[in-house]
Amino acid sequence: MSRPHSPDFLRELAEIVGTAGYRVRETERAAYRSDGLPTHRVPPALVILPDTQAQVVAIVRLLHKYRIPFVARGAGTGLSGGALADDTAALIVLTRLNRILAIDADNRRAQVEPGVVNQALSDAAAPFGLHFAPDPSSQVACTIGGNVAENAGGPHCLKYGVTANHVVAIDAVLATGELVTLGSAQGERWGPDLVGLFTGSEGTFGIALAITVRLTPLPEQVVTLLAGFPSIRAGGEAVSAIIASGIVPAALEMMDQACVRVVEASIYAAGYPTDAAAVLLCEVDGSAASVAEEAAAVERLFGEHGAAVIHRAESDSERARLWKGRKRAFGAMGRLGRDLAVQDAVVPRSALPDILERIAEIRERYALVISNVFHAGDGNLHPNISFDSREPGVLERVRQASAEIMSACLTLGGTITGEHGVGLDKIAWMDELFDGPSLQAMCDVRNVFDPEHRANPNKVIPVHACREWTAGGAR
């Protein structure tokens, strides 16, 4: 296996992207040493910035020729260390592949390159009365390619589903340089759901070059409701009651008091009640008749579970302000610390009060600042640890606290990630979550797409779990 800095490799790479199309200087590579999770930092050996799909294919084929590992990266907003390359691997940055190739309004389809920003796609579809439903909090920056890699969700995935529910076809280049088309614009042709398999594979199967997605009609009517509760437990019980009633909100989000107060002290202030222990945002959408009925039922359930404040947004601008506070909460947390580790785990909805009390105990024991904002409707937690990495010993405390949070979620019948992926950050938990045969099955599937494990190496699946991989020796 060659090194990414070998003169022969760089000469051939320059023939594809020019000398301005890659970065080897230490100061330039340092900009790519982390993604959105600051607890993992490692500069790549080489950064490559292709402009076209053809260049990506040529680059991957060149990497295959020299047997150099590679990692695909979008906007770098990921939160699991999944888009990091070490000093043996090349980082292929796809943000320049940002064209919306087609919008087929009649069939509610769009085809995009991987570097298209999530919000940009919805903006382009809006004149046709359509939008791209998956809406991560980072949607103004994150890319569709990254959404596919991580099977991203967002507040509205409760009703509309995660990215996998909206992708119908993927044109991809595998690690060998082979071009494949998975699925079709009309849906899967036959056989296994290869699009669903590729979506969420975290870049370990190859690189998506063009992605065909479903577009969803904008709802006839939308109502956004806010409620403030005197305790986290009361808010959690309200969540369970809403779901038990048969109502499926478009979104059902919770913020604890620490989160609410930092948002209200920031430029993203949305009018949340700062004296509430928990705030719920609930959005219902659909026909005018159904929305009126469901909104009234949600308000009644809020009241029955002790909400001290119940408010209905009275205009589109107020709705937007309420959601801006929720989606920019992570940015507001910069007021609490220089660094922010956004964790991601899932528990059953009924366990929300218990796990939040457990997180509070972990926070006190490790003397950390932890605030919570999360997708309450599906039990997807986001404990946010604010800290200053320059403080001696704090990184180890953050890692230990994160590990205890993961363990507590598993104990309550949950899992280690809802939408941020395994990446580097959670790979140590895979052995606890899956038995040996299950991990081996995952490796067997990966081997079909990338038998040498050069695409995003050492991520997602523990190396020791792959018998064929370990038998051949680590590459």
Side-chain angles (χ1 to χ4, degrees):
M1 180 177 293
S2 300
R3 304 288 291 184
H5 288 159
S6 71
D8 289 343
F9 172 77
L10 290 179
R11 176 181 51 77
E12 292 190 55
L13 178 62
E15 293 174 1
I16 299 170
V17 296
T19 55
Y22 65 87
R23 307 285 187 267
V24 293
R25 293 173 56 186
E26 182 179 356
T27 52
E28 295 172 326
R29 292 183 290 114
Y32 300 91
R33 64 181 179 177
S34 69
D35 57 10
L37 188 70
T39 51
H40 297 276
R41 297 180 187 273
V42 54
L46 173 71
V47 178
I48 308 174
L49 298 151
D51 292 310
T52 67
Q53 295 180 35
Q55 286 184 349
V56 175
V57 174
I59 290 163
V60 171
R61 288 174 176 170
L62 181 64
L63 292 166
H64 177 61
K65 172 183 174 180
Y66 283 88
R67 296 182 63 235
I68 294 172
F70 65 89
V71 177
R73 180 183 174 110
T77 59
L79 292 160
S80 65
L84 306 187
D86 64 17
D87 62 0
T88 69
L91 189 70
I92 304 175
V93 180
L94 301 168
T95 49
R96 295 180 179 178
L97 277 71
N98 57 7
R99 295 181 300 157
I100 296 176
L101 302 171
I103 292 182
D104 180 354
D106 292 337
N107 292 300
R108 298 176 182 171
R109 298 285 191 268
Q111 188 181 50
V112 302
E113 290 185 321
V116 169
V117 171
N118 180 293
Q119 183 66 58
L121 176 56
S122 281
D123 290 344
F128 303 99
L130 302 169
H131 73 297
F132 185 57
D135 62 334
S137 295
S138 58
Q139 71 179 139
V140 296
C142 67
T143 59
I144 301 296
N147 296 165
V148 169
E150 302 298 332
N151 193 19
H156 290 83
C157 72
L158 177 61
K159 179 175 182 177
Y160 291 102
V162 294
T163 300
N165 301 113
H166 300 269
V167 179
V168 296
I170 297 173
D171 294 332
V173 58
L174 305 185
T176 59
E178 178 185 359
L179 293 173
V180 296
T181 296
L182 311 177
S184 71
Q186 292 73 40
E188 193 68 28
R189 296 189 187 99
W190 51 266
D193 180 11
L194 297 179
V195 171
L197 193 64
F198 193 98
T199 304
S201 61
E202 301 190 35
T204 61
F205 290 178
I207 299 176
L209 300 172
I211 303 155
T212 303
V213 300
R214 291 187 179 92
L215 297 176
T216 301
L218 293 166
E220 177 185 334
Q221 187 163 339
V222 181
V223 170
T224 302
L225 302 163
L226 177 148
F229 291 87
S231 69
I232 289 285
R233 185 166 294 277
E237 290 171 353
V239 169
S240 296
I242 291 168
I243 300 300
S245 74
I247 297 171
V248 181
L252 188 53
E253 301 287 294
M254 182 182 285
M255 292 168 280
D256 68 5
Q257 188 175 71
C259 177
V260 166
R261 288 182 171 176
V262 74
V263 169
E264 288 302 300
S266 75
I267 61 171
Y268 309 123
Y272 303 147
T274 56
D275 58 345
V279 165
L280 280 178
L281 279 182
C282 181
E283 188 159 276
V284 292
D285 65 11
S287 67
S290 66
V291 167
E293 182 179 345
E294 290 183 352
V298 169
E299 287 175 322
R300 175 178 53 79
L301 291 168
F302 281 163
E304 290 177 358
H305 288 82
V309 174
I310 302 175
H311 177 71
R312 182 185 294 213
E314 296 179 354
S315 65
D316 288 343
S317 61
E318 187 178 8
R319 281 188 53 246
R321 187 171 69 252
L322 290 175
W323 280 112
K324 186 175 183 179
R326 160 61 185 90
K327 291 194 171 186
R328 304 294 175 85
F330 301 116
M333 287 171 194
R335 302 173 67 89
L336 299 178
R338 180 174 177 268
D339 299 289
L340 179 68
V342 181
Q343 283 300 333
D344 168 50
V346 181
V347 296
R349 280 186 295 266
S350 59
L352 283 174
D354 293 332
I355 190 61
L356 291 171
E357 289 173 359
R358 176 72 173 132
I359 290 171
E361 184 273 325
I362 292 170
R363 175 185 64 208
E364 296 305 316
R365 185 152 41 83
Y366 284 98
L368 291 169
V369 177
I370 303 180
S371 47
N372 295 280
V373 51
F374 56 92
H375 311 311
D378 51 15
N380 187 186
L381 295 166
H382 294 316
N384 301 281
I385 307 177
S386 300
F387 63 101
D388 185 340
S389 58
R390 297 170 298 184
E391 178 186 333
V394 71
L395 268 176
E396 184 57 31
R397 298 205 324 271
V398 169
R399 293 188 180 109
Q400 290 176 1
S402 297
E404 288 200 26
I405 291 170
M406 290 297 125
S407 182
C409 290
L410 292 178
T411 299
L412 289 170
T415 190
I416 60 174
T417 179
E419 57 182 345
H420 295 174
V422 175
L424 280 175
D425 192 54
K426 298 183 179 70
I427 194 168
W429 293 96
M430 292 292 283
D431 286 310
E432 184 165 341
L433 195 57
F434 298 102
D435 61 19
S438 297
L439 290 171
Q440 181 60 46
M442 295 180 198
C443 286
D444 291 342
V445 172
R446 180 174 183 174
N447 289 340
V448 172
F449 289 88
D450 178 19
E452 292 187 337
H453 292 203
R454 287 187 302 103
N456 212 4
N458 305 315
K459 309 283 178 56
V460 187
I461 306 170
V463 170
H464 68 79
C466 300
R467 290 193 298 269
E468 293 182 13
W469 177 248
T470 53
R475 297 176 170 83

